[in-house]
mmCIF file of all heavy atoms in Angstrom:
data_model
loop_
_atom_site.group_PDB
_atom_site.id
_atom_site.type_symbol
_atom_site.label_atom_id
_atom_site.label_comp_id
_atom_site.label_asym_id
_atom_site.label_seq_id
_atom_site.Cartn_x
_atom_site.Cartn_y
_atom_site.Cartn_z
ATOM 1 N N GLY A 1 7.317 -40.551 20.107
ATOM 2 C CA GLY A 1 8.124 -41.842 20.161
ATOM 3 C C GLY A 1 7.199 -43.006 19.902
ATOM 4 O O GLY A 1 6.123 -42.898 19.339
ATOM 5 N N TYR A 2 7.650 -44.175 20.311
ATOM 6 C CA TYR A 2 6.922 -45.383 20.099
ATOM 7 C C TYR A 2 6.701 -46.033 21.475
ATOM 8 O O TYR A 2 7.445 -45.796 22.461
ATOM 9 C CB TYR A 2 7.518 -46.358 19.162
ATOM 10 C CG TYR A 2 8.761 -47.083 19.638
ATOM 11 C CD1 TYR A 2 8.717 -48.229 20.327
ATOM 12 C CD2 TYR A 2 10.050 -46.621 19.281
ATOM 13 C CE1 TYR A 2 9.795 -48.847 20.908
ATOM 14 C CE2 TYR A 2 11.223 -47.344 19.727
ATOM 15 C CZ TYR A 2 11.051 -48.545 20.431
ATOM 16 O OH TYR A 2 12.136 -49.124 20.989
ATOM 17 N N LEU A 3 5.765 -47.014 21.512
ATOM 18 C CA LEU A 3 5.461 -47.741 22.670
ATOM 19 C C LEU A 3 5.357 -49.192 22.293
ATOM 20 O O LEU A 3 4.597 -49.521 21.268
ATOM 21 C CB LEU A 3 4.161 -47.194 23.358
ATOM 22 C CG LEU A 3 3.460 -48.096 24.450
ATOM 23 C CD1 LEU A 3 4.325 -48.212 25.644
ATOM 24 C CD2 LEU A 3 2.105 -47.439 24.777
ATOM 25 N N LEU A 4 5.849 -50.133 23.148
ATOM 26 C CA LEU A 4 5.704 -51.511 22.827
ATOM 27 C C LEU A 4 4.923 -52.086 24.016
ATOM 28 O O LEU A 4 5.408 -52.180 25.191
ATOM 29 C CB LEU A 4 7.020 -52.293 22.779
ATOM 30 C CG LEU A 4 7.079 -53.642 22.336
ATOM 31 C CD1 LEU A 4 6.434 -53.983 20.966
ATOM 32 C CD2 LEU A 4 8.397 -54.380 22.421
ATOM 33 N N THR A 5 3.620 -52.427 23.708
ATOM 34 C CA THR A 5 2.725 -52.992 24.695
ATOM 35 C C THR A 5 1.924 -54.192 24.227
ATOM 36 O O THR A 5 1.606 -54.217 22.981
ATOM 37 C CB THR A 5 1.754 -51.931 25.159
ATOM 38 O OG1 THR A 5 0.876 -52.439 26.213
ATOM 39 C CG2 THR A 5 0.889 -51.376 24.065
ATOM 40 N N HIS A 6 1.756 -55.160 25.048
ATOM 41 C CA HIS A 6 1.141 -56.535 24.579
ATOM 42 C C HIS A 6 1.843 -57.010 23.265
ATOM 43 O O HIS A 6 1.223 -57.542 22.420
ATOM 44 C CB HIS A 6 -0.339 -56.188 24.199
ATOM 45 C CG HIS A 6 -1.222 -55.888 25.334
ATOM 46 N ND1 HIS A 6 -1.699 -56.859 26.179
ATOM 47 C CD2 HIS A 6 -1.632 -54.736 25.935
ATOM 48 C CE1 HIS A 6 -2.425 -56.297 27.096
ATOM 49 N NE2 HIS A 6 -2.345 -55.034 26.970
ATOM 50 N N LYS A 7 3.167 -56.790 23.287
ATOM 51 C CA LYS A 7 4.078 -57.279 22.136
ATOM 52 C C LYS A 7 3.691 -56.579 20.830
ATOM 53 O O LYS A 7 4.005 -57.199 19.800
ATOM 54 C CB LYS A 7 4.054 -58.819 21.989
ATOM 55 C CG LYS A 7 4.458 -59.575 23.236
ATOM 56 C CD LYS A 7 4.375 -61.080 23.074
ATOM 57 C CE LYS A 7 4.961 -61.838 24.235
ATOM 58 N NZ LYS A 7 4.848 -63.272 24.149
ATOM 59 N N GLN A 8 3.155 -55.384 20.900
ATOM 60 C CA GLN A 8 2.737 -54.748 19.666
ATOM 61 C C GLN A 8 3.335 -53.384 19.761
ATOM 62 O O GLN A 8 3.296 -52.705 20.786
ATOM 63 C CB GLN A 8 1.195 -54.623 19.515
ATOM 64 C CG GLN A 8 0.469 -55.952 19.318
ATOM 65 C CD GLN A 8 -0.957 -55.698 18.946
ATOM 66 O OE1 GLN A 8 -1.320 -54.895 18.151
ATOM 67 N NE2 GLN A 8 -1.798 -56.545 19.638
ATOM 68 N N LYS A 9 3.869 -52.902 18.601
ATOM 69 C CA LYS A 9 4.606 -51.639 18.567
ATOM 70 C C LYS A 9 3.685 -50.546 17.895
ATOM 71 O O LYS A 9 3.241 -50.699 16.845
ATOM 72 C CB LYS A 9 5.882 -51.844 17.783
ATOM 73 C CG LYS A 9 6.878 -50.650 17.899
ATOM 74 C CD LYS A 9 8.099 -50.915 17.119
ATOM 75 C CE LYS A 9 9.215 -49.768 17.272
ATOM 76 N NZ LYS A 9 10.418 -50.110 16.617
ATOM 77 N N TYR A 10 3.534 -49.495 18.665
ATOM 78 C CA TYR A 10 2.812 -48.363 18.154
ATOM 79 C C TYR A 10 3.724 -47.214 17.994
ATOM 80 O O TYR A 10 4.250 -46.712 18.953
ATOM 81 C CB TYR A 10 1.662 -48.056 19.094
ATOM 82 C CG TYR A 10 0.625 -49.171 19.309
ATOM 83 C CD1 TYR A 10 0.769 -50.124 20.145
ATOM 84 C CD2 TYR A 10 -0.585 -49.241 18.383
ATOM 85 C CE1 TYR A 10 -0.181 -51.234 20.252
ATOM 86 C CE2 TYR A 10 -1.467 -50.177 18.596
ATOM 87 C CZ TYR A 10 -1.340 -51.282 19.379
ATOM 88 O OH TYR A 10 -2.231 -52.180 19.497
ATOM 89 N N LYS A 11 3.700 -46.622 16.786
ATOM 90 C CA LYS A 11 4.663 -45.522 16.546
ATOM 91 C C LYS A 11 3.869 -44.161 16.549
ATOM 92 O O LYS A 11 2.658 -44.107 16.619
ATOM 93 C CB LYS A 11 5.305 -45.694 15.071
ATOM 94 C CG LYS A 11 6.079 -46.943 14.997
ATOM 95 C CD LYS A 11 6.616 -47.068 13.699
ATOM 96 C CE LYS A 11 7.706 -48.271 13.457
ATOM 97 N NZ LYS A 11 8.195 -48.355 12.075
ATOM 98 N N ASP A 12 4.598 -43.077 16.502
ATOM 99 C CA ASP A 12 4.209 -41.666 16.381
ATOM 100 C C ASP A 12 3.190 -41.432 17.486
ATOM 101 O O ASP A 12 2.147 -40.783 17.281
ATOM 102 C CB ASP A 12 3.609 -41.536 14.962
ATOM 103 C CG ASP A 12 4.488 -41.737 13.917
ATOM 104 O OD1 ASP A 12 5.633 -41.324 14.128
ATOM 105 O OD2 ASP A 12 4.083 -42.167 12.859
ATOM 106 N N LEU A 13 3.443 -41.844 18.658
ATOM 107 C CA LEU A 13 2.616 -41.536 19.899
ATOM 108 C C LEU A 13 3.340 -40.281 20.597
ATOM 109 O O LEU A 13 4.493 -40.062 20.553
ATOM 110 C CB LEU A 13 2.517 -42.601 20.778
ATOM 111 C CG LEU A 13 1.861 -43.868 20.244
ATOM 112 C CD1 LEU A 13 1.812 -44.964 21.254
ATOM 113 C CD2 LEU A 13 0.487 -43.645 19.790
ATOM 114 N N LEU A 14 2.498 -39.601 21.407
ATOM 115 C CA LEU A 14 3.079 -38.511 22.187
ATOM 116 C C LEU A 14 3.139 -39.039 23.673
ATOM 117 O O LEU A 14 2.198 -39.430 24.238
ATOM 118 C CB LEU A 14 2.161 -37.306 22.193
ATOM 119 C CG LEU A 14 2.021 -36.570 20.797
ATOM 120 C CD1 LEU A 14 1.034 -35.456 20.828
ATOM 121 C CD2 LEU A 14 3.445 -36.018 20.412
ATOM 122 N N LEU A 15 4.335 -38.952 24.199
ATOM 123 C CA LEU A 15 4.713 -39.729 25.581
ATOM 124 C C LEU A 15 5.363 -38.868 26.564
ATOM 125 O O LEU A 15 6.078 -37.830 26.128
ATOM 126 C CB LEU A 15 5.505 -40.851 25.291
ATOM 127 C CG LEU A 15 5.237 -41.836 24.054
ATOM 128 C CD1 LEU A 15 6.299 -42.898 23.965
ATOM 129 C CD2 LEU A 15 3.876 -42.539 24.538
ATOM 130 N N LYS A 16 5.150 -39.048 27.839
ATOM 131 C CA LYS A 16 5.754 -38.504 28.899
ATOM 132 C C LYS A 16 6.063 -39.584 29.852
ATOM 133 O O LYS A 16 5.235 -40.395 30.228
ATOM 134 C CB LYS A 16 4.988 -37.396 29.604
ATOM 135 C CG LYS A 16 4.806 -36.152 28.816
ATOM 136 C CD LYS A 16 4.484 -34.918 29.714
ATOM 137 C CE LYS A 16 3.105 -35.046 30.357
ATOM 138 N NZ LYS A 16 2.605 -33.739 31.017
ATOM 139 N N TYR A 17 7.358 -39.636 30.322
ATOM 140 C CA TYR A 17 7.846 -40.721 31.257
ATOM 141 C C TYR A 17 7.922 -40.064 32.675
ATOM 142 O O TYR A 17 8.732 -39.336 32.903
ATOM 143 C CB TYR A 17 9.137 -41.194 30.867
ATOM 144 C CG TYR A 17 9.831 -42.259 31.818
ATOM 145 C CD1 TYR A 17 9.025 -43.180 32.380
ATOM 146 C CD2 TYR A 17 11.154 -42.334 31.897
ATOM 147 C CE1 TYR A 17 9.750 -44.024 33.326
ATOM 148 C CE2 TYR A 17 11.859 -43.164 32.676
ATOM 149 C CZ TYR A 17 11.015 -43.994 33.446
ATOM 150 O OH TYR A 17 11.727 -44.955 34.312
ATOM 151 N N ASN A 18 7.070 -40.643 33.554
ATOM 152 C CA ASN A 18 7.102 -40.232 34.875
ATOM 153 C C ASN A 18 8.119 -41.156 35.599
ATOM 154 O O ASN A 18 7.936 -42.306 36.058
ATOM 155 C CB ASN A 18 5.764 -40.495 35.542
ATOM 156 C CG ASN A 18 5.544 -39.977 36.884
ATOM 157 O OD1 ASN A 18 6.503 -40.037 37.781
ATOM 158 N ND2 ASN A 18 4.421 -39.382 37.289
ATOM 159 N N ILE A 19 9.319 -40.469 35.930
ATOM 160 C CA ILE A 19 10.422 -41.253 36.571
ATOM 161 C C ILE A 19 10.046 -41.666 38.012
ATOM 162 O O ILE A 19 10.297 -42.790 38.469
ATOM 163 C CB ILE A 19 11.684 -40.230 36.631
ATOM 164 C CG1 ILE A 19 12.143 -39.955 35.204
ATOM 165 C CG2 ILE A 19 12.785 -41.059 37.415
ATOM 166 C CD1 ILE A 19 13.300 -39.036 35.173
ATOM 167 N N PHE A 20 9.393 -40.668 38.801
ATOM 168 C CA PHE A 20 9.101 -40.935 40.062
ATOM 169 C C PHE A 20 8.130 -42.120 40.305
ATOM 170 O O PHE A 20 8.398 -43.022 41.098
ATOM 171 C CB PHE A 20 8.483 -39.721 40.759
ATOM 172 C CG PHE A 20 8.123 -39.849 42.250
ATOM 173 C CD1 PHE A 20 9.248 -39.635 43.088
ATOM 174 C CD2 PHE A 20 6.895 -40.145 42.808
ATOM 175 C CE1 PHE A 20 8.974 -39.869 44.589
ATOM 176 C CE2 PHE A 20 6.626 -40.344 44.074
ATOM 177 C CZ PHE A 20 7.800 -40.149 45.014
ATOM 178 N N ASP A 21 7.042 -42.179 39.504
ATOM 179 C CA ASP A 21 6.040 -43.281 39.648
ATOM 180 C C ASP A 21 6.335 -44.438 38.709
ATOM 181 O O ASP A 21 5.588 -45.431 38.816
ATOM 182 C CB ASP A 21 4.698 -42.726 39.423
ATOM 183 C CG ASP A 21 4.145 -41.705 40.441
ATOM 184 O OD1 ASP A 21 4.591 -41.904 41.630
ATOM 185 O OD2 ASP A 21 3.356 -40.840 40.199
ATOM 186 N N GLN A 22 7.402 -44.271 37.843
ATOM 187 C CA GLN A 22 7.597 -45.368 36.885
ATOM 188 C C GLN A 22 6.306 -45.711 36.010
ATOM 189 O O GLN A 22 5.900 -46.855 35.917
ATOM 190 C CB GLN A 22 8.001 -46.612 37.704
ATOM 191 C CG GLN A 22 9.455 -46.575 38.053
ATOM 192 C CD GLN A 22 10.449 -46.779 37.047
ATOM 193 O OE1 GLN A 22 10.689 -47.826 36.356
ATOM 194 N NE2 GLN A 22 11.079 -45.566 36.631
ATOM 195 N N THR A 23 5.771 -44.637 35.603
ATOM 196 C CA THR A 23 4.523 -44.796 34.616
ATOM 197 C C THR A 23 4.752 -44.028 33.400
ATOM 198 O O THR A 23 5.679 -43.098 33.271
ATOM 199 C CB THR A 23 3.238 -44.247 35.382
ATOM 200 O OG1 THR A 23 3.495 -42.858 35.822
ATOM 201 C CG2 THR A 23 2.959 -45.130 36.593
ATOM 202 N N LEU A 24 3.988 -44.223 32.378
ATOM 203 C CA LEU A 24 3.960 -43.580 31.120
ATOM 204 C C LEU A 24 2.689 -42.911 30.857
ATOM 205 O O LEU A 24 1.613 -43.525 31.146
ATOM 206 C CB LEU A 24 4.335 -44.553 30.058
ATOM 207 C CG LEU A 24 4.843 -44.076 28.617
ATOM 208 C CD1 LEU A 24 6.175 -43.337 28.859
ATOM 209 C CD2 LEU A 24 4.916 -45.160 27.659
ATOM 210 N N VAL A 25 2.762 -41.686 30.413
ATOM 211 C CA VAL A 25 1.490 -40.968 30.037
ATOM 212 C C VAL A 25 1.479 -40.784 28.615
ATOM 213 O O VAL A 25 2.480 -40.492 27.885
ATOM 214 C CB VAL A 25 1.488 -39.517 30.636
ATOM 215 C CG1 VAL A 25 0.109 -38.805 30.390
ATOM 216 C CG2 VAL A 25 1.719 -39.591 32.260
ATOM 217 N N VAL A 26 0.295 -41.197 28.015
ATOM 218 C CA VAL A 26 0.191 -41.136 26.509
ATOM 219 C C VAL A 26 -0.852 -40.096 26.169
ATOM 220 O O VAL A 26 -1.963 -40.087 26.776
ATOM 221 C CB VAL A 26 -0.229 -42.547 25.950
ATOM 222 C CG1 VAL A 26 -0.435 -42.412 24.407
ATOM 223 C CG2 VAL A 26 0.854 -43.546 26.249
ATOM 224 N N GLN A 27 -0.561 -39.346 25.291
ATOM 225 C CA GLN A 27 -1.586 -38.405 24.692
ATOM 226 C C GLN A 27 -2.024 -38.975 23.356
ATOM 227 O O GLN A 27 -1.252 -38.929 22.352
ATOM 228 C CB GLN A 27 -1.110 -36.925 24.563
ATOM 229 C CG GLN A 27 -2.134 -35.956 24.108
ATOM 230 C CD GLN A 27 -1.572 -34.532 23.893
ATOM 231 O OE1 GLN A 27 -0.932 -34.296 22.844
ATOM 232 N NE2 GLN A 27 -1.762 -33.665 24.848
ATOM 233 N N TYR A 28 -3.242 -39.457 23.289
ATOM 234 C CA TYR A 28 -3.754 -39.947 21.938
ATOM 235 C C TYR A 28 -4.595 -39.106 21.229
ATOM 236 O O TYR A 28 -5.558 -38.567 21.851
ATOM 237 C CB TYR A 28 -4.490 -41.281 22.366
ATOM 238 C CG TYR A 28 -5.133 -42.112 21.120
ATOM 239 C CD1 TYR A 28 -4.228 -42.868 20.385
ATOM 240 C CD2 TYR A 28 -6.443 -41.864 20.765
ATOM 241 C CE1 TYR A 28 -4.789 -43.583 19.197
ATOM 242 C CE2 TYR A 28 -6.916 -42.578 19.731
ATOM 243 C CZ TYR A 28 -6.073 -43.370 18.921
ATOM 244 O OH TYR A 28 -6.620 -43.975 17.932
ATOM 245 N N VAL A 29 -4.383 -38.804 20.029
ATOM 246 C CA VAL A 29 -5.140 -37.981 19.205
ATOM 247 C C VAL A 29 -5.974 -38.821 18.341
ATOM 248 O O VAL A 29 -5.525 -39.502 17.482
ATOM 249 C CB VAL A 29 -4.232 -37.034 18.377
ATOM 250 C CG1 VAL A 29 -4.982 -36.154 17.447
ATOM 251 C CG2 VAL A 29 -3.174 -36.224 19.258
ATOM 252 N N GLY A 30 -7.271 -38.693 18.506
ATOM 253 C CA GLY A 30 -8.241 -39.515 17.764
ATOM 254 C C GLY A 30 -8.932 -38.775 16.588
ATOM 255 O O GLY A 30 -8.327 -37.705 16.168
ATOM 256 N N LYS A 31 -9.991 -39.181 16.172
ATOM 257 C CA LYS A 31 -10.704 -38.677 15.079
ATOM 258 C C LYS A 31 -11.169 -37.271 15.566
ATOM 259 O O LYS A 31 -11.438 -36.965 16.687
ATOM 260 C CB LYS A 31 -11.826 -39.525 14.599
ATOM 261 C CG LYS A 31 -12.861 -39.826 15.689
ATOM 262 C CD LYS A 31 -13.878 -40.675 15.191
ATOM 263 C CE LYS A 31 -15.045 -41.053 16.223
ATOM 264 N NZ LYS A 31 -15.981 -42.019 15.737
ATOM 265 N N GLU A 32 -11.263 -36.383 14.487
ATOM 266 C CA GLU A 32 -11.636 -34.997 14.659
ATOM 267 C C GLU A 32 -10.697 -34.348 15.663
ATOM 268 O O GLU A 32 -11.073 -33.326 16.424
ATOM 269 C CB GLU A 32 -13.035 -34.877 15.106
ATOM 270 C CG GLU A 32 -14.027 -35.410 14.064
ATOM 271 C CD GLU A 32 -15.525 -35.358 14.560
ATOM 272 O OE1 GLU A 32 -15.764 -34.906 15.706
ATOM 273 O OE2 GLU A 32 -16.448 -35.720 13.785
ATOM 274 N N ASN A 33 -9.379 -34.793 15.738
ATOM 275 C CA ASN A 33 -8.389 -34.255 16.608
ATOM 276 C C ASN A 33 -8.706 -34.226 18.101
ATOM 277 O O ASN A 33 -8.171 -33.471 18.958
ATOM 278 C CB ASN A 33 -8.052 -32.869 16.138
ATOM 279 C CG ASN A 33 -7.359 -32.767 14.790
ATOM 280 O OD1 ASN A 33 -6.503 -33.645 14.465
ATOM 281 N ND2 ASN A 33 -7.763 -31.795 13.973
ATOM 282 N N SER A 34 -9.581 -35.171 18.456
ATOM 283 C CA SER A 34 -9.892 -35.269 19.912
ATOM 284 C C SER A 34 -8.646 -35.855 20.582
ATOM 285 O O SER A 34 -7.983 -36.637 20.185
ATOM 286 C CB SER A 34 -11.039 -36.226 20.105
ATOM 287 O OG SER A 34 -10.808 -37.577 19.659
ATOM 288 N N GLN A 35 -8.434 -35.405 21.808
ATOM 289 C CA GLN A 35 -7.223 -35.755 22.632
ATOM 290 C C GLN A 35 -7.729 -36.500 23.826
ATOM 291 O O GLN A 35 -8.504 -36.128 24.653
ATOM 292 C CB GLN A 35 -6.437 -34.571 22.961
ATOM 293 C CG GLN A 35 -5.737 -33.899 21.763
ATOM 294 C CD GLN A 35 -4.876 -32.759 22.170
ATOM 295 O OE1 GLN A 35 -4.736 -32.428 23.347
ATOM 296 N NE2 GLN A 35 -4.206 -32.166 21.200
ATOM 297 N N THR A 36 -6.947 -37.627 24.138
ATOM 298 C CA THR A 36 -7.127 -38.381 25.423
ATOM 299 C C THR A 36 -5.853 -38.711 26.044
ATOM 300 O O THR A 36 -4.877 -39.056 25.431
ATOM 301 C CB THR A 36 -7.698 -39.792 25.042
ATOM 302 O OG1 THR A 36 -8.965 -39.620 24.345
ATOM 303 C CG2 THR A 36 -8.047 -40.580 26.278
ATOM 304 N N GLU A 37 -5.625 -38.332 27.333
ATOM 305 C CA GLU A 37 -4.525 -38.482 28.079
ATOM 306 C C GLU A 37 -4.741 -39.680 29.079
ATOM 307 O O GLU A 37 -5.823 -39.608 29.803
ATOM 308 C CB GLU A 37 -4.139 -37.181 28.803
ATOM 309 C CG GLU A 37 -3.723 -36.108 27.889
ATOM 310 C CD GLU A 37 -3.355 -34.835 28.590
ATOM 311 O OE1 GLU A 37 -4.298 -34.300 29.340
ATOM 312 O OE2 GLU A 37 -2.224 -34.296 28.466
ATOM 313 N N TYR A 38 -3.936 -40.610 29.042
ATOM 314 C CA TYR A 38 -4.206 -41.713 29.920
ATOM 315 C C TYR A 38 -2.866 -42.512 30.308
ATOM 316 O O TYR A 38 -1.842 -42.217 29.719
ATOM 317 C CB TYR A 38 -5.081 -42.789 29.213
ATOM 318 C CG TYR A 38 -4.467 -43.405 27.972
ATOM 319 C CD1 TYR A 38 -3.832 -44.658 27.998
ATOM 320 C CD2 TYR A 38 -4.456 -42.707 26.762
ATOM 321 C CE1 TYR A 38 -3.432 -45.218 26.928
ATOM 322 C CE2 TYR A 38 -3.980 -43.389 25.637
ATOM 323 C CZ TYR A 38 -3.367 -44.544 25.713
ATOM 324 O OH TYR A 38 -2.701 -45.168 24.686
ATOM 325 N N LEU A 39 -2.939 -43.350 31.223
ATOM 326 C CA LEU A 39 -1.791 -44.184 31.719
ATOM 327 C C LEU A 39 -2.016 -45.574 31.422
ATOM 328 O O LEU A 39 -2.800 -46.278 32.039
ATOM 329 C CB LEU A 39 -1.566 -43.946 33.255
ATOM 330 C CG LEU A 39 -1.111 -42.631 33.749
ATOM 331 C CD1 LEU A 39 -2.149 -41.633 33.860
ATOM 332 C CD2 LEU A 39 -0.523 -42.818 35.173
ATOM 333 N N PRO A 40 -1.333 -46.098 30.367
ATOM 334 C CA PRO A 40 -1.510 -47.550 30.008
ATOM 335 C C PRO A 40 -0.979 -48.383 31.091
ATOM 336 O O PRO A 40 -0.027 -48.030 31.763
ATOM 337 C CB PRO A 40 -0.712 -47.646 28.682
ATOM 338 C CG PRO A 40 0.293 -46.641 28.759
ATOM 339 C CD PRO A 40 -0.374 -45.406 29.460
ATOM 340 N N PRO A 41 -1.469 -49.580 31.290
ATOM 341 C CA PRO A 41 -0.983 -50.434 32.237
ATOM 342 C C PRO A 41 0.465 -50.821 32.185
ATOM 343 O O PRO A 41 0.914 -51.228 31.171
ATOM 344 C CB PRO A 41 -1.887 -51.766 32.119
ATOM 345 C CG PRO A 41 -3.131 -51.230 31.404
ATOM 346 C CD PRO A 41 -2.672 -50.184 30.519
ATOM 347 N N VAL A 42 1.193 -50.537 33.296
ATOM 348 C CA VAL A 42 2.678 -50.652 33.147
ATOM 349 C C VAL A 42 3.159 -52.138 32.920
ATOM 350 O O VAL A 42 4.018 -52.441 32.326
ATOM 351 C CB VAL A 42 3.344 -50.128 34.398
ATOM 352 C CG1 VAL A 42 4.866 -50.320 34.372
ATOM 353 C CG2 VAL A 42 3.107 -48.584 34.491
ATOM 354 N N GLU A 43 2.270 -53.109 33.458
ATOM 355 C CA GLU A 43 2.653 -54.424 33.409
ATOM 356 C C GLU A 43 2.674 -54.959 31.997
ATOM 357 O O GLU A 43 3.321 -56.076 31.788
ATOM 358 C CB GLU A 43 1.705 -55.367 34.332
ATOM 359 C CG GLU A 43 0.284 -55.211 33.914
ATOM 360 C CD GLU A 43 -0.493 -54.194 34.651
ATOM 361 O OE1 GLU A 43 0.059 -53.153 35.106
ATOM 362 O OE2 GLU A 43 -1.728 -54.358 34.847
ATOM 363 N N PHE A 44 2.028 -54.318 31.099
ATOM 364 C CA PHE A 44 2.032 -54.814 29.721
ATOM 365 C C PHE A 44 3.054 -54.088 28.794
ATOM 366 O O PHE A 44 3.230 -54.318 27.671
ATOM 367 C CB PHE A 44 0.732 -54.673 29.158
ATOM 368 C CG PHE A 44 -0.401 -55.526 29.847
ATOM 369 C CD1 PHE A 44 -1.485 -54.843 30.312
ATOM 370 C CD2 PHE A 44 -0.339 -56.807 29.990
ATOM 371 C CE1 PHE A 44 -2.509 -55.559 31.106
ATOM 372 C CE2 PHE A 44 -1.218 -57.593 30.682
ATOM 373 C CZ PHE A 44 -2.348 -56.927 31.230
ATOM 374 N N ILE A 45 3.701 -53.008 29.331
ATOM 375 C CA ILE A 45 4.677 -52.206 28.582
ATOM 376 C C ILE A 45 5.953 -52.961 28.804
ATOM 377 O O ILE A 45 6.476 -53.080 29.852
ATOM 378 C CB ILE A 45 4.690 -50.795 29.093
ATOM 379 C CG1 ILE A 45 3.387 -50.107 28.915
ATOM 380 C CG2 ILE A 45 5.825 -50.024 28.258
ATOM 381 C CD1 ILE A 45 3.330 -48.735 29.454
ATOM 382 N N SER A 46 6.655 -53.194 27.598
ATOM 383 C CA SER A 46 7.986 -53.776 27.682
ATOM 384 C C SER A 46 9.148 -52.778 27.242
ATOM 385 O O SER A 46 10.228 -52.835 27.810
ATOM 386 C CB SER A 46 8.084 -55.058 26.727
ATOM 387 O OG SER A 46 7.687 -54.717 25.473
ATOM 388 N N GLU A 47 8.799 -51.805 26.508
ATOM 389 C CA GLU A 47 9.809 -50.754 26.157
ATOM 390 C C GLU A 47 9.062 -49.576 25.444
ATOM 391 O O GLU A 47 7.876 -49.676 24.987
ATOM 392 C CB GLU A 47 10.796 -51.319 25.298
ATOM 393 C CG GLU A 47 10.460 -51.632 23.839
ATOM 394 C CD GLU A 47 11.545 -52.205 22.977
ATOM 395 O OE1 GLU A 47 12.186 -53.160 23.274
ATOM 396 O OE2 GLU A 47 11.797 -51.548 21.842
#
């Protein structure tokens, strides 16, 4: 899906929405297919 954060839209991301904690988990695939799983700051996410 996509993520709008800091008023910038990032497409083709892998996302999981944590309903209980109201957080979003992003799996970012970097160079050489390295994977990073992280929780972007919720205060900057608008949609």
